[in-house]
Amino acid sequence: MSGPPRLAISMGDPTGIGPEVTVRALARRGLRRHFVPILVGDPAVFAAAAAQLRLPLAFAPWSPPAPLPSDAVPVRVVARIPPRQRQAGRPTVSGGRAAYAAVIEAVRLVQQGHAEAVVTAPICKANLAAAGARVAGHTELLAQLAGDVPVRMMMVGARLRVDAYGWASGGDP
């Protein structure tokens, strides 16, 4: 690999904070020089989040092996959710299906060499179950997709680190 790593970023629940957090991060000055984002989900969800936040981001559908667009954030489209089924704070089964499909496709992009890592946005576990997924959440789904290998979930922020076993610390690593 040459250049910054390509990150397949799943949409998360389209009615939750995932799309907002994702577009806010992508709009941060200088951040994208460290990685190449490949969003996975519904482009309209990301566009609506950016518009609501008045962030100047453009999104373009992308399918491998086509080159990644240089003038817009690429979106690997796995769903098209009607606006009435993606209202903030009102989770839907179709949103659960889309979130599930986004994680699966993000992993597939890594497995096929189109991305180097997966980043997941928050999901609604109840909608994941209602959509027919037979996993409890991201951690179990990623373990399954990786061939039932041991996996570990971890969240890291500027002042806090938490892993799946409850360890937490503050300050610098």
Side-chain angles (χ1 to χ4, degrees):
M1 175 189 83
S2 64
R6 295 164 295 177
L7 304 181
I9 305 169
S10 71
M11 174 176 62
D13 190 303
T15 66
I17 65 167
E20 176 185 339
V21 169
T22 300
V23 299
R24 278 186 190 270
L26 294 178
R28 286 188 66 185
R29 186 182 200 105
L31 186 64
R32 284 195 279 165
R33 72 174 167 228
H34 300 290
F35 66 94
V36 176
I38 301 171
L39 303 181
V40 184
D42 181 343
V45 169
F46 294 112
Q52 180 181 8
L53 297 168
R54 295 185 178 107
L55 298 173
L57 293 172
F59 304 92
W62 171 79
S63 292
L68 294 170
S70 59
D71 58 343
V73 179
V75 181
R76 178 71 177 114
V77 181
V78 297
R80 300 274 187 187
I81 306 163
R84 69 186 177 284
Q85 293 182 12
R86 54 180 160 89
Q87 296 175 8
R90 296 180 166 221
T92 63
V93 172
S94 62
R97 281 190 205 105
Y100 181 71
V103 174
I104 291 171
E105 183 60 19
V107 169
R108 187 175 299 133
L109 289 172
V110 170
Q111 291 171 332
Q112 294 176 351
H114 302 293
E116 283 73 46
V118 172
V119 176
T120 58
I123 58 171
C124 175
K125 292 180 180 185
N127 285 345
L128 195 65
R134 290 194 156 90
V135 293
H138 278 122
T139 306
E140 297 81 6
L141 177 55
L142 292 170
Q144 185 181 76
L145 294 171
D148 292 319
V149 299
V151 298
R152 197 164 182 177
M153 185 264 302
M154 183 170 149
M155 292 181 260
V156 178
R159 299 183 314 183
L160 179 68
R161 293 169 170 247
V162 180
D163 70 21
Y165 299 100
W167 173 82
S169 74
D172 293 328

